[in-house]
Amino acid sequence: MSHLIVTDIHKSFSGTPVLTGQSLQVKDGEFVALLGPSGCGKSTLLQIVNGLIPADRGSVVLNGEDITGRTGKGRGMVFQGSELMPWRSALENVAFGLEVMGIGRAQRTARAREYLHLVGLDGFEHSWPHQLSGGMQQRVGIARAFCIQPSLLLMDEPFGALDVQTRDTLQDELLRIWESEPKMVLFVTHGIEEALYLADRILVYSKRPASVLREIQVPFERPRREDMKMDPRFLELRREISELLRDDAAH
Amino acid sequence: MKKMRAMTNLLGCLLLLVVWQAAGAELSESLLATPLQVFVALNDTLLGNAFWAALGSMLWQMSVGYALALLVGVPLGVAMGRLPLVRALVKPWAAMFIVVSAAALVPLFILLLGRGVLLCVAIVFVATVWFVVTTMMEASRSVSPNLLDVARSYGASPLQVFRLVLLPALHPYVLIAARIGLTHALRAMVTAEMFISTGYGGLINDAGLDLSTAPLFGLIVMLMLLSVTATGLLRWVANRTAPWYASRTGDH
């Protein structure tokens, strides 16, 4: 059973506190959305969990191992702008994490091919990133993260830079892939609808320094489908969260 | 699109030749030989042995200095781009030496190194290396921090970050530095030879004393062709080996 325990994280940037004593837990197979206004510190929290940014205080424990301030080790990250290496083909980009882990070429290529198939990009193995659309690039980004078969998936506004149609499609794709390979997810977003549609649980954050305004257990069953967005309970929750964030912004 | 650009390039060259022809016809051969006169003179030059011997000796001496400049300049530039300490230490030298023209250094270098191969190699080296250094420094500073983050977040060690991100990201810039360096190397080499009146520079000196300016222009045109061909070759290599970069600059 995998689990993530983040305890009492503090972080300031040149004297400005961004996080003051933030804690959270993720259970095995749980999809958790971190929702909040832009610049509130939720991305910083994600990067601290990822190990890219050192915390001033606090700890990150994944599957019983203290990984505070260290990268790698069972975490796959999907970045906002997909951030593919332009000199690598789609296939080589997906295989990147495995190459870092020292897995041989034949094996990592075979596995990367599998995941490229999983995100629906058969036939694009040897395409360069610049030949792919924004949506396809982010599919490669998602495949890259799944390919290392992490126990924790970190997603930093992965669909923020895409147009609405592409975003809707990719949300469904993500759900489909994640349902076939369930794992813990921390998903940072400022989209209320996105958080409700994807997550099991939502942590709604205040403006900076981020603190949890409310924790919401999303009541919808899986598999989730598009028509859920018309459900009265969905609309009601969306309105509540929207008001919560507006109130917070006004103070 | 590519054809269109090539045609426009050609048109530019033709335009230059027409203006030159008209101006040359107005003046005289002793002041400004016309392209046609230059063509005839160049034909004679190319049939003689002196030209090819001079070209050969110039090219190999220049190549040694140029290769050394790349060998030292690329790693030094990358180190300056990535390590603030190295940058702070070396940047003043680059800023000072890059403005000193090769011509200003030759007399001093003759005193120090004599008039042989060593002089030419040294002049080419100092005239080229700082351009390579500054190009590579800017290039390695501009490597996307996001891509470095990607590598780190997948657990890459510093050595892996260097090998898997920094090196491939810098590859097209090495070829740009090589291109910029080559033009400077060629100019410095000819300057040095003109001072000591040997090789290609020596031929240019001699041609300058001729009553007709046609042989002189012929030599200059050959120099231009040489430089354009060599840089074109480097550009071709860059586009072939880093198509992702070429696509970004619209050179594909």
Side-chain angles (χ1 to χ4, degrees), chain A:
Chain A
M1 290 290 273
S2 50
H3 58 274
L4 173 74
I5 303 168
V6 178
T7 316
D8 197 28
I9 296 289
H10 290 251
K11 182 70 187 176
S12 308
F13 287 114
S14 47
T16 311
V18 176
L19 297 165
T20 49
Q22 286 307 301
S23 303
L24 63 87
Q25 297 204 9
V26 184
K27 294 193 301 248
D28 191 29
E30 192 183 22
F31 196 129
V32 176
L34 309 182
L35 177 67
S38 297
C40 76
K42 58 195 190 300
S43 283
T44 305
L45 184 58
L46 193 76
Q47 304 234 296
I48 287 171
V49 174
N50 193 23
L52 280 174
I53 296 179
D56 297 340
R57 216 169 84 200
S59 72
V60 181
V61 176
L62 178 64
N63 305 335
E65 188 185 355
D66 190 334
I67 50 160
T68 316
R70 282 189 287 157
T71 58
K73 298 231 174 222
R75 284 157 293 174
M77 176 95 172
V78 180
F79 294 79
Q80 178 173 15
S82 77
E83 304 298 348
L84 304 180
M85 319 234 160
W87 51 85
R88 285 175 165 251
S89 67
L91 191 69
E92 290 168 334
N93 264 293
V94 176
F96 179 80
L98 298 179
E99 185 171 351
V100 168
M101 291 155 86
I103 290 171
R105 179 180 294 275
Q107 203 183 339
R108 68 174 186 254
T109 307
R111 176 117 63 97
R113 215 176 273 281
E114 234 172 83
Y115 281 93
L116 212 51
H117 166 74
L118 201 62
V119 297
L121 286 181
D122 287 305
F124 291 95
E125 287 82 359
H126 304 294
S127 299
W128 299 98
H130 72 257
Q131 296 169 323
L132 303 175
S133 68
M136 287 157 93
Q137 290 182 15
Q138 195 53 289
R139 282 167 196 258
V140 176
I142 291 169
R144 175 171 67 185
F146 271 89
C147 192
I148 60 169
Q149 300 178 336
S151 59
L152 172 63
L153 195 63
L154 303 168
M155 306 185 90
D156 190 3
E157 303 195 24
F159 308 139
L162 302 173
D163 63 77
V164 181
Q165 283 78 20
T166 313
R167 183 162 62 214
D168 286 352
T169 320
L170 278 181
Q171 285 171 359
D172 288 336
E173 289 277 306
L174 174 64
L175 283 181
R176 183 179 58 75
I177 298 163
W178 174 74
E179 278 158 8
S180 71
E181 281 186 32
K183 53 186 89 239
M184 296 185 289
V185 181
L186 271 183
F187 189 103
V188 166
T189 179
H190 56 248
I192 299 170
E193 203 166 281
E194 183 168 71
L196 278 170
Y197 188 55
L198 297 174
D200 296 313
R201 187 156 56 94
I202 302 175
L203 299 175
V204 184
Y205 283 93
S206 68
K207 63 190 180 197
R208 198 176 64 203
S211 63
V212 179
L213 291 171
R214 201 175 142 190
E215 183 174 342
I216 297 168
Q217 202 72 42
V218 182
F220 304 103
E221 282 144 34
R222 296 184 187 276
R224 305 237 175 111
R225 293 300 169 249
E226 190 71 24
D227 53 5
M228 178 194 127
K229 293 179 185 170
M230 293 297 143
D231 191 303
R233 284 177 305 166
F234 185 94
L235 298 172
E236 176 58 23
L237 273 172
R238 193 175 75 174
R239 195 187 55 77
E240 275 177 33
I241 298 172
S242 173
E243 265 172 24
L244 190 65
L245 289 172
R246 206 172 322 129
D247 279 356
D248 174 60
H251 290 109

Side-chain angles (χ1 to χ4, degrees), chain B residues 41-57:
Chain B
L42 189 57
N43 203 34
D44 290 342
T45 310
L46 295 183
L47 288 174
N49 287 332
F51 173 82
W52 297 104
L55 186 68
S57 87

